[in-house]
Amino acid sequence: MSDRTALNKELILRRVGRNQYRTTLLASQSTNASPEGDSAVYSPRENVQANLPSDALTRPKCELDQLRSTIETLSARATALSAIEKEIEATRALMTSLLMQRNNLTPVFLLPPELLARVFHFHVLAEPPWFSLNKLGWIKVTHVCRHWRHVALDHASLWARISGFPVNPRWITEQLSRAKNAPLVIDLLGTPTFETMTMFPSHLPHTRELRLRGLNKNCVNVVKELCGLEAPDLEHFELGLSVSPPMTYQDFGGTRLFKGKAPKLRTLSLCQVRVPWSFFPRCQFSQLRIILFDEEDHDDTPSLGSLNQLIDVLTNCPTLEVLVLESCLPSIPPQSTHIRTVHLPRLSHLSLAGSSSRVVRFFGTLKMPSSTILNLHCVAENAVGNDGGLILPLVLAHFNRSALVTFRSFKASINHLERSLDIVASTTAPASTDSPSNVFDGGSEASPELTLSFITRSDFDHLEYILKRACITLPIAELEFLSVSAPDSFHSLNWEELFQKCAKVTTIEASGHGTSTLLRTITPPKLPSRHFNSGKGRKSRRGKRDVPPQAAENAPVAVPIFPKLTSLLVKKFDFSELVPHTGVIPLKRLSIDRSIISEKRASALEKIVPEFHWSGEDAMSINEYDFDDFDHYSSDYHDARWEDFFVGSSQAEWEWWENYSDGW
């Protein structure tokens, strides 16, 4: 037996052998004397000393048997039961003490409290609590043992992060209490209760980050109180309303944000909050986001202030990295000649949205690195809409300030019904042909350097004009991936004219009926073909079955617009009535998604294309069908050369496949 085992056994035997029943048993002896005298009286001490069992766990049963034979009255039984309960509690306390001693000897309990608290800090970031889903998150560590709970409660900074959906004011009160004076990080999504909102103003002096999004008008008074207090430790502030009209500076009582005393403020984001530029605290922002849903129509007395006031705010921010101004740009009179230039040497992301003239003129006042990512959204101000393309020369000049920029990926989405045009360009080529559009999402790959969007009130030709100007102005000669989307087919664009200089394209993604003419653009014109057997009748047809026909020997060689095309991804097309034509395109991969094509034809294509992917006939169900994309059927589909995208396929060979192959 080891020393530790002997020590534990000795402690247990000592506890069991205590004379805790002595008073109870003496009282029982006096009231119920046994005819056999003192020898019949139950004595735990004598029993322990005389007959000490080897196994301490069998002693309670022996003592209970003797106790049951000597105690007869109800009062004696109650007294004995109370004594036994006390003995059980004492034994439990002993076991708890032993378990704590054992835990204290394990390696994890040898960690200093400071190091253990640091581990908890990482857990707080990795698994925050979501009380709306009844998930405790990191707080479960406080239920492991008493030591861990004490460490967690002793470090107030662990409780200083309040995030998620504010559904339980009592818990937020408890967190604020446990956080004490630690710097708070409050990040709530959705409208909290009035009780919850009233907790924050008193804690603003030691709040480091405050993000309140999705608020409604009921929170205006509390927001006004928050913005009217000094915020000496505030570094990040985000305030967003989800309703219209926006909150105006009159709601703030005509005072500066945080009384102009927020020296550490670096990130400011306001959504649907219209605050004049002169009310902004003079801080060196690293990120500034002001977003409004609607732009002011009157230019004479703008509620946000003048252009010079905005330039004053930006001039004070030489380290600005992110600038987002949507529907809040000041108007600049066309006759203005002395406009100050804003130097932003560290700007990495710029997003502007508003009327075309305001976006163009304000963009011209900025001087920033050519590596700055641009997101520009222009809305035409009149029915003519002839100012949308004015931004393109400025964009080209921006990218070519230090070195020539070449785009490798290009996406154009034109929607005549919504009268909108979206252009996305990236200097990065797709890493995979399975999902090439990921290059525009900014996920695993780099974010696209350019995003342009135009909304016009004029006719459809204006959108096409802007797209043509973009294809001429922007450096797209080295494109490798081209994505085109046009849901409707009111007008058929001349794709060959738009992308005739993009001879290095290897992957094309076409979506919607409006891109049907792209199929004709991809392949060369129809060429005459010759057959080895010019006879008639069944015998001649059997000859054709044995030897596929070949193209005419003296026919001119047609060069397609995209000679290096190897992958084609098609979405939302109807190929049920396409007429095949000739062409030779070395297509190696074909993907058809949410399109109408018969299973018979898909089986034939699968035998021709090395990598063929089809979502199946059931992929276009009633629920998934985009009726807006198919409301306007165009006869252009009848001329699209759908079967010309395959290695070695000519008109004669395709007819042979169609008429004689087993898969057709």
Side-chain angles (χ1 to χ4, degrees):
M1 179 183 302
S2 63
D3 296 340
R4 180 177 176 180
T5 304
L7 176 61
N8 292 343
K9 183 174 181 180
E10 179 65 23
L11 291 173
I12 295 175
L13 294 178
R14 186 182 304 168
R15 174 67 65 181
V16 173
R18 287 178 180 176
N19 191 11
Q20 296 191 13
Y21 302 122
R22 193 171 189 81
T23 304
T24 302
L25 296 178
L26 289 177
S28 174
Q29 181 181 7
S30 62
T31 55
N32 300 290
S34 173
E36 297 180 1
D38 294 341
S39 61
V41 177
Y42 174 76
S43 176
R45 179 180 293 274
E46 295 175 0
N47 195 324
V48 170
Q49 295 176 352
N51 301 310
L52 184 65
S54 59
D55 189 359
L57 297 179
T58 61
R59 178 166 300 280
K61 183 176 184 304
C62 298
E63 293 180 350
L64 287 176
D65 292 340
Q66 298 184 30
L67 183 64
R68 193 177 292 110
S69 62
T70 56
I71 299 178
E72 298 180 356
T73 64
L74 293 178
S75 59
R77 288 177 180 273
T79 305
L81 183 62
S82 176
I84 292 176
E85 291 291 342
K86 293 180 180 180
E87 184 71 15
I88 292 174
E89 293 299 326
T91 304
R92 288 176 177 172
L94 174 63
M95 293 299 298
T96 300
S97 177
L98 293 175
L99 292 174
M100 291 179 60
Q101 295 179 34
R102 183 192 66 179
N103 291 340
N104 291 334
L105 298 177
T106 58
V108 68
F109 281 86
L110 298 179
L111 293 175
E114 294 78 9
L115 184 57
L116 186 60
R118 186 61 177 169
V119 175
F120 290 167
H121 272 288
F122 288 110
H123 197 29
V124 169
L125 299 176
E127 192 175 352
W130 288 91
F131 299 104
S132 59
L133 302 177
N134 295 324
K135 292 184 178 181
L136 291 178
W138 76 272
I139 300 178
K140 290 184 292 186
V141 302
T142 62
H143 301 172
V144 174
C145 64
R146 185 176 302 175
H147 173 60
W148 282 24
R149 182 174 180 83
H150 287 167
V151 171
L153 293 177
D154 289 342
H155 286 76
S157 58
L158 292 172
W159 307 95
R161 182 175 294 272
I162 303 174
S163 60
F165 294 91
V167 295
N168 195 332
R170 295 177 57 187
W171 171 245
I172 294 180
T173 302
E174 182 64 24
Q175 267 200 276
L176 292 174
S177 175
R178 295 181 181 183
K180 301 176 182 177
N181 291 324
L184 294 177
V185 176
I186 302 174
D187 187 355
L188 299 183
L189 179 62
T191 303
T193 62
F194 181 78
E195 179 183 358
T196 300
M197 286 292 296
T198 56
M199 303 177 191
F200 300 144
S202 60
H203 295 276
L204 186 62
H206 65 99
T207 299
R208 186 177 62 193
E209 300 181 19
L210 179 58
R211 295 182 175 90
L212 303 174
R213 294 162 291 180
L215 303 181
N216 56 29
K217 286 291 186 179
N218 297 330
C219 304
V220 170
N221 291 332
V222 181
V223 170
K224 174 182 176 181
E225 182 181 359
L226 278 171
C227 296
L229 298 174
E230 297 182 8
D233 292 334
L234 190 62
E235 299 177 6
H236 307 279
F237 180 65
E238 181 177 353
L239 179 62
L241 273 66
S242 58
V243 295
S244 295
M247 186 177 180
T248 61
Y249 70 95
Q250 287 88 354
D251 299 321
F252 292 95
T255 60
R256 276 194 170 190
L257 288 176
F258 310 117
K259 294 183 178 180
K261 298 181 180 180
K264 297 182 180 180
L265 189 60
R266 295 296 176 265
T267 299
L268 177 61
S269 178
L270 301 177
C271 179
Q272 281 296 85
V273 180
R274 195 184 295 273
V275 179
W277 308 117
S278 58
F279 280 35
F280 281 50
R282 291 299 180 259
C283 305
Q284 295 188 0
F285 297 115
S286 61
Q287 298 184 20
L288 179 61
R289 294 181 174 89
I290 310 298
I291 300 175
L292 299 176
F293 295 164
D294 299 308
E295 191 176 56
E296 284 185 314
D297 294 332
H298 52 280
D299 298 337
D300 50 353
T301 57
S303 60
L304 293 175
S306 63
L307 174 65
N308 287 331
Q309 292 174 336
L310 173 58
I311 291 179
D312 289 339
V313 174
L314 299 179
T315 303
N316 196 49
C317 307
T319 60
L320 190 65
E321 299 176 2
V322 177
L323 177 60
V324 179
L325 301 175
E326 298 185 6
S327 301
C328 60
L329 294 174
S331 61
I332 305 176
Q335 62 274 14
S336 300
T337 57
H338 302 286
I339 300 179
R340 298 156 56 190
T341 302
V342 182
H343 296 268
L344 302 174
R346 297 189 182 182
L347 193 65
S348 61
H349 180 92
L350 173 66
S351 179
L352 303 178
S355 58
S356 299
S357 61
R358 298 189 184 189
V359 172
V360 171
R361 292 167 188 168
F362 182 78
F363 183 81
T365 64
L366 302 179
K367 186 176 181 180
M368 51 197 163
S370 59
S371 59
T372 304
I373 296 176
L374 301 182
N375 288 269
L376 307 176
H377 310 272
C378 303
V379 180
E381 302 172 75
N382 49 58
V384 179
N386 53 7
D387 53 356
L390 298 178
I391 194 67
L392 296 174
L394 299 179
V395 170
L396 179 62
H398 161 74
F399 285 113
N400 291 335
R401 277 175 181 168
S402 58
L404 294 179
V405 174
T406 300
F407 292 127
R408 304 289 180 180
S409 301
F410 187 84
K411 179 179 181 180
S413 302
I414 186 169
N415 192 320
H416 292 98
L417 297 178
E418 297 180 358
R419 300 188 179 185
S420 63
L421 170 64
D422 297 315
I423 297 175
V424 185
S426 173
T427 58
T428 305
S432 172
T433 57
D434 294 334
S435 301
S437 291
N438 291 342
V439 73
F440 302 124
D441 298 335
S444 58
E445 304 177 29
S447 301
E449 287 79 3
L450 175 62
T451 301
L452 295 173
S453 68
F454 302 90
I455 299 178
T456 180
R457 303 174 185 175
S458 60
D459 55 10
F460 308 138
D461 294 336
H462 179 61
L463 295 176
E464 299 175 3
Y465 167 76
I466 296 178
L467 180 57
K468 292 177 182 178
R469 286 285 306 274
C471 294
I472 295 174
T473 306
L474 300 178
I476 61 174
E478 302 294 326
L479 283 185
E480 298 179 23
F481 171 53
L482 174 62
S483 176
V484 179
S485 175
D488 49 74
S489 57
F490 278 119
H491 294 72
S492 297
L493 293 177
N494 190 341
W495 301 106
E496 182 176 5
E497 179 183 354
L498 292 176
F499 302 107
Q500 59 182 350
K501 61 181 179 180
C502 306
K504 297 183 180 181
V505 171
T506 60
T507 303
I508 290 181
E509 181 182 61
S511 176
H513 290 325
T515 62
S516 61
T517 55
L518 182 62
L519 298 179
R520 294 199 304 271
T521 304
I522 290 177
T523 58
K526 182 178 179 179
L527 298 178
S529 60
R530 65 181 179 86
H531 300 286
F532 288 100
N533 194 332
S534 59
K536 299 181 179 180
R538 184 177 303 176
K539 184 176 180 180
S540 174
R541 288 194 295 270
R542 284 197 299 268
K544 293 182 182 180
R545 182 191 301 249
D546 298 334
V547 181
Q550 304 294 325
E553 295 180 355
N554 298 327
V557 178
V559 179
I561 186 175
F562 303 118
K564 296 186 178 181
L565 182 65
T566 58
S567 300
L568 178 63
L569 296 86
V570 183
K571 299 179 180 180
K572 301 179 182 179
F573 268 83
D574 184 357
F575 298 110
S576 59
E577 301 184 21
L578 295 182
V579 177
H581 292 282
T582 186
V584 179
I585 294 296
L587 195 65
K588 298 179 181 179
R589 187 178 188 277
L590 174 63
S591 176
I592 303 176
D593 183 29
R594 298 183 64 186
S595 299
I596 299 177
I597 183 174
S598 65
E599 183 177 1
K600 186 177 181 181
R601 176 167 293 186
S603 300
L605 297 178
E606 187 175 7
K607 294 183 178 181
I608 300 175
V609 185
E611 294 184 35
F612 179 74
H613 302 274
W614 178 42
S615 55
E617 288 184 318
D618 297 334
M620 185 66 78
S621 62
I622 296 297
N623 294 331
E624 297 176 348
Y625 207 95
D626 191 349
F627 289 99
D628 293 337
D629 292 352
F630 291 88
D631 282 343
H632 310 284
Y633 189 83
S634 174
S635 60
D636 294 336
Y637 301 113
H638 297 278
D639 298 326
R641 294 184 295 278
W642 172 238
E643 291 81 5
D644 298 339
F645 310 137
F646 320 112
V647 177
S649 64
S650 65
Q651 172 69 15
E653 289 174 321
W654 180 259
E655 290 178 354
W656 182 85
W657 271 97
E658 181 177 3
N659 297 323
Y660 303 113
S661 70
D662 295 334
W664 193 262

